């Protein structure tokens, strides 16, 4: 979202105070995805006085035409910082190479890949109870799974 300003206070026709509105994201990729996906879903960033910076609802992601999402800026960032693994062919870019023992973050030599780390993190979590707790706190996590009628 570009910085947007609007006149707040005018004296004798001259603006003496300006206000700015920004949406901030956790990463460049998050910003790029927001900028690419929102127009497809009919979502905007709002206007300067009432910006709408909330995330894209999980349920709407299935409506995205991912072939129309342009990641050129992200690829440029990866390339210019030397983070795009261009020397390896796609068949050699495995989950382990990208997130496990082949990752630059594998300082001790024992890093497991992201799938295995997440399976371990979720091992003893009751997802149905977690969903209920989150919804009681006002979070919406998508459709509630239904059980077959007896």
């Amino acid at each position: 979202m570009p910085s947007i300003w609007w006149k707040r206070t005018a004296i004798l026709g001259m603006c003496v105070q300006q206000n700015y509105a920004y949406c901030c994201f956790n990463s460049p990729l998050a910003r790029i995805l927001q900028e690419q996906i929102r127009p497809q879903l009919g979502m905007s960033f709002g206007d300067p006085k009432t910006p709408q910076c909330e995330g894209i609802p999980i349920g709407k992601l299935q409506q995205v035409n991912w072939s129309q999402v342009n990641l050129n800026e992200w690829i440029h960032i990866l390339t210019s910082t030397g983070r795009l693994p261009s020397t390896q062919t796609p068949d050699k870019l495995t989950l382990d190479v990208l997130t496990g023992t082949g990752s630059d973050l594998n300082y001790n030599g024992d890093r497991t890949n992201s799938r295995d780390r997440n399976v371990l993190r979720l091992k003893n979590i009751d997802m149905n109870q977690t969903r209920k707790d989150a919804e009681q706190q006002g979070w919406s996590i998508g459709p509630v799974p239904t059980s077959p009628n007896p």
Side-chain angles (χ1 to χ4, degrees), residues 121-128 130:
R121 286 181 189 129
L122 298 173
K123 186 176 183 180
N124 295 316
I125 294 178
D126 180 349
M127 292 308 290
N128 286 329
T130 301

Side-chain angles (χ1 to χ4, degrees), residues 7 17 19 23 39 48 55 59 66 75 92 99 113 115 123 131 145 147:
K7 278 196 275 187
Q17 179 182 355
N19 292 325
C23 289
W66 291 97
I75 291 169
K92 292 184 181 177
T99 67
N113 66 49
R115 180 192 60 228
K123 186 176 183 180
R131 178 187 297 272
S147 55

Side-chain angles (χ1 to χ4, degrees), residues 40-121:
Q40 285 191 40
L41 300 176
M43 297 173 65
S44 74
F45 286 108
D47 59 58
K49 292 184 180 179
T50 55
Q52 297 174 355
C53 300
E54 67 276 354
I56 295 170
I58 293 172
K60 288 194 170 205
L61 290 176
Q62 60 190 331
Q63 299 171 22
V64 174
N65 181 347
W66 291 97
S67 67
Q68 292 185 4
V69 175
N70 183 337
L71 296 178
N72 287 345
E73 182 182 356
W74 177 240
I75 291 169
H76 173 73
I77 291 169
L78 293 176
T79 303
S80 65
T81 58
R83 306 306 296 165
L84 184 67
S86 60
T87 59
Q88 297 186 349
T89 58
D91 60 319
K92 292 184 181 177
L93 293 177
T94 64
L95 190 60
D96 200 51
V97 167
L98 295 172
T99 67
T101 56
S103 167
D104 289 341
L105 299 174
N106 185 26
Y107 300 116
N108 299 328
D110 59 354
R111 184 177 175 87
T112 57
N113 66 49
S114 60
R115 180 192 60 228
D116 293 344
R117 289 193 311 270
N118 282 313
V119 166
L120 194 61
R121 286 181 189 129

